[in-house]
Amino acid sequence: MEKKSGKAGGVGGFILLFLVGLVGSLIVGWVVFPSLLFSQKTQPIRFSHTVHAEQGMECEQCHYLTEDGQFMGLPSTESCADCHPDETGEDTPNGKEIDKFVNEYGKTGAQVPWLVYQYQPDNVFFSHSAHQGFQCTDSGCHPPVETMDAPPVYEENRITGYSKQTMKMWQCERCHAQMGTSNACYVCHK
Amino acid sequence: MSAFKDFDTTWVMVVDIDKCTGCGACMAACQTENNIAPQPDASNKLRTVSWMTVYELSNKMPFPDHDMAYLPRPCMQCGNPPCVSVCPVIATDKNENGGIVSQIYPRCIGCRYCVAACPYHARVFGWYDPVWPEGMQKTLTPLTSTRPRGVVEKCNFCHHRLNLAKDAARAQGKNPEDLEDGAYKPSCAEICPTGAISFGDAKNAKHKVHELIKSPNAFRLLERLGTKPQVYYYSKREWVRRQGDNYLKSEKV
């Protein structure tokens, strides 16, 4: 008899342990791992879209399509230096950021290593000229930086090295299927 | 075997064998255009990566009658591709308008069924890690992705050039599905110094190849297998055309 009751308690303990283990694994899988998976990075220069939009600058001045349909995604250091040729010497946060740009990039001529939130693997072909009918922020393609005073945090996948925002293949394919566009492999792969 | 696949646009290559001098410029252009790494041992032809290979043909006749020819061989982009039906993971497919057979490297598991299935030896397996010696990595282009060791690769008619041509057409307000003759050309066709390689849409009457492939001197390799290649050859010499398939002595070509 004593042995039997001891056994029953063992089963109860086992179920308890199992539940603790299950909840623990779920927390690790859903909360701990995803937060460990991504490292956070900041842009080399705290470039503000709103400050520049207030100057009356059009988006196309910095992001434009060439005559042969290629997308010039990010502006060159030279084009920034047209307006920021010299240090401001100001002590404001904005002034300091401009001085940082002038000293580190403007004077040396080096290109700013901007982090692109939507950077795709090199076997993916994407065409901006084919998607001109959409807004930049449609389907979560790009963060709404034009409404932000500071660039959003860039989250990098520690295993793959890609941005968290990089659109997954199923997301591209879902929209193509909905819009009746071809989903042949070579449409997007190279 | 899978069924014949037909598309509104059919990109075809027509190689005039009588114009080919065997110079190999097409092979060199192909290697640089498609990020093919320098080979560790280029003399081992069983293990070299080459998407475009020039073969030497001979009529095997003794002197004064001897004659020879050269035959550049890209991927045939078969209308009925034997490689596609054998792929266990659908890493290769023929599903895009234009009929170019796709090869998706990250999905390839390197089983090489397709290499065995291809009657044209157009598919190659990467036996070595691609290595660009110091300084040579500057020749890499972003237009084609590099392949790791252990996957199968092949010619794709410089498909990235089709993407660029479509983008240019869009920017100029033209129809990207109805490109002009010459707007899209693989690098081998562009480089060929004698103009032996023509390229275009066989279904489009405005493209030169539309007429070229109707010539009685035009032929395809191993036509009787029913693979329906999208690469045509052209020669006025009967002995050259005879080499396109395993004809019996009694057969007329």
Side-chain angles (χ1 to χ4, degrees):
Chain A
M1 282 301 271
E2 273 176 17
K3 259 190 184 173
K4 236 184 181 178
S5 70
K7 228 183 183 179
V11 169
F14 179 74
I15 290 174
L16 189 73
L17 268 178
F18 175 77
L19 286 176
V20 169
L22 181 72
V23 171
S25 336
L26 289 179
I27 291 174
V28 169
W30 281 341
V31 183
V32 181
F33 180 69
S35 62
L36 282 178
L37 185 60
F38 295 99
S39 65
Q40 302 207 322
K41 290 190 167 181
T42 45
Q43 295 280 356
I45 299 287
R46 201 209 65 222
F47 176 83
S48 157
H49 271 81
T50 48
V51 165
H52 288 86
E54 277 162 19
Q55 305 301 320
M57 291 182 75
E58 299 284 332
C59 311
E60 286 73 27
Q61 226 170 308
C62 293
H63 314 289
Y64 59 94
L65 284 166
T66 63
E67 276 166 32
D68 51 7
Q70 299 300 298
F71 185 59
M72 302 317 251
L74 293 172
S76 63
T77 291
E78 293 74 38
S79 69
C80 310
D82 283 348
C83 293
H84 305 290
D86 302 306
E87 287 171 74
T88 57
E90 284 173 33
D91 214 18
T92 56
N94 280 2
K96 277 188 187 154
E97 203 63 24
I98 295 174
D99 292 356
K100 185 177 165 199
F101 166 78
V102 172
N103 287 323
E104 286 178 25
Y105 306 101
K107 284 185 182 160
T108 61
Q111 298 300 325
V112 187
W114 300 111
L115 301 168
V116 177
Y117 301 97
Q118 187 48 270
Y119 211 73
Q120 287 285 344
D122 66 358
N123 63 323
V124 172
F125 172 80
F126 180 79
S127 157
H128 273 92
S129 48
H131 297 89
Q132 283 180 80
F134 299 101
Q135 297 293 314
C136 310
T137 49
D138 274 358
S139 303
C141 289
H142 292 289
V145 290
E146 67 271 23
T147 58
M148 296 176 170
D149 190 38
V153 187
Y154 177 91
E155 287 182 277
E156 188 187 84
N157 186 313
R158 288 184 211 265
I159 296 172
T160 64
Y162 288 110
S163 161
K164 191 178 187 177
Q165 277 211 354
T166 294
M167 186 173 275
K168 302 296 173 290
M169 177 160 138
W170 65 267
Q171 292 168 294
C172 308
E173 286 193 318
R174 186 174 58 182
C175 182
H176 278 206
Q178 283 167 351
M179 309 281 298
T181 300
S182 168
N183 264 334
C185 310
Y186 260 1
V187 166
C188 311
H189 285 286
K190 57 180 188 183
Chain B
M1 237 194 225
S2 48
F4 172 62
K5 289 200 179 146
D6 202 20
F7 298 93
D8 293 344
T9 303
T10 305
W11 295 112
V12 301
M13 188 180 281
V14 184
V15 186
D16 186 337
I17 295 188
D18 297 345
K19 279 189 191 160
C20 178
T21 63
C23 71
C26 52
M27 291 171 68
C30 176
Q31 302 239 324
T32 35
E33 179 84 12
N34 292 298
N35 288 337
I36 298 177
Q39 306 293 309
D41 176 10
S43 67
N44 182 351
K45 297 300 174 204
L46 291 174
R47 296 207 163 182
T48 40
V49 171
S50 168
W51 293 7
M52 171 65 132
T53 306
V54 178
Y55 290 86
E56 190 183 292
L57 311 180
S58 159
N59 66 350
K60 304 233 173 67
M61 300 274 268
F63 175 67
D65 301 320
H66 181 249
D67 193 10
M68 59 194 297
Y70 294 96
L71 182 141
R73 193 245 42 230
C75 167
M76 302 286 141
Q77 321 294 352
C78 302
N80 192 353
C83 52
V84 166
S85 47
V86 299
C87 181
V89 294
I90 324 185
T92 183
D93 207 346
K94 188 185 180 82
N95 55 358
E96 195 198 12
N97 188 22
I100 297 176
V101 175
S102 61
Q103 176 72 16
I104 309 296
Y105 317 117
R107 185 165 286 181
C108 176
I109 55 172
C111 73
R112 285 165 278 166
Y113 283 164
C114 57
V115 179
C118 176
Y120 304 103
H121 295 292
R123 290 176 161 271
V124 287
F125 181 74
W127 287 93
Y128 307 103
D129 283 321
V131 180
W132 281 264
E134 184 68 29
M136 263 192 84
Q137 75 281 4
K138 288 184 186 152
T139 64
L140 281 165
T141 118
L143 298 174
T144 21
S145 59
T146 55
R147 286 75 54 186
R149 176 185 63 193
V151 302
V152 172
E153 45 191 273
K154 69 163 191 82
C155 153
N156 56 17
F157 278 179
C158 289
H159 185 275
H160 54 279
R161 290 187 173 216
L162 171 58
N163 289 335
L164 297 185
K166 280 188 182 173
D167 270 359
R170 280 191 195 96
Q172 290 152 12
K174 296 181 196 151
N175 182 358
E177 298 301 329
D178 184 22
L179 296 174
E180 284 160 30
D181 200 4
Y184 161 41
K185 232 186 211 183
S187 69
C188 54
E190 187 178 81
I191 200 93
C192 180
T194 59
I197 306 180
S198 312
F199 190 84
D201 175 8
K203 296 272 177 74
N204 190 333
K206 283 177 272 173
H207 286 209
K208 202 174 70 177
V209 293
H210 179 75
E211 285 308 313
L212 284 179
I213 60 171
K214 291 182 186 158
S215 159
N217 293 330
F219 65 101
R220 293 183 280 183
L221 299 184
L222 304 178
E223 215 157 344
R224 295 183 295 185
L225 282 180
T227 48
K228 300 222 172 10
Q230 282 176 218
V231 176
Y232 291 74
Y233 292 90
Y234 176 97
S235 179
K236 290 192 172 131
R237 293 174 279 179
E238 204 241 346
W239 74 264
V240 172
R241 296 198 299 273
R242 277 196 97 77
Q243 301 214 350
D245 210 335
N246 304 301
Y247 294 105
L248 298 174
K249 277 222 172 68
S250 57
E251 278 178 295
K252 274 243 158 263
V253 186

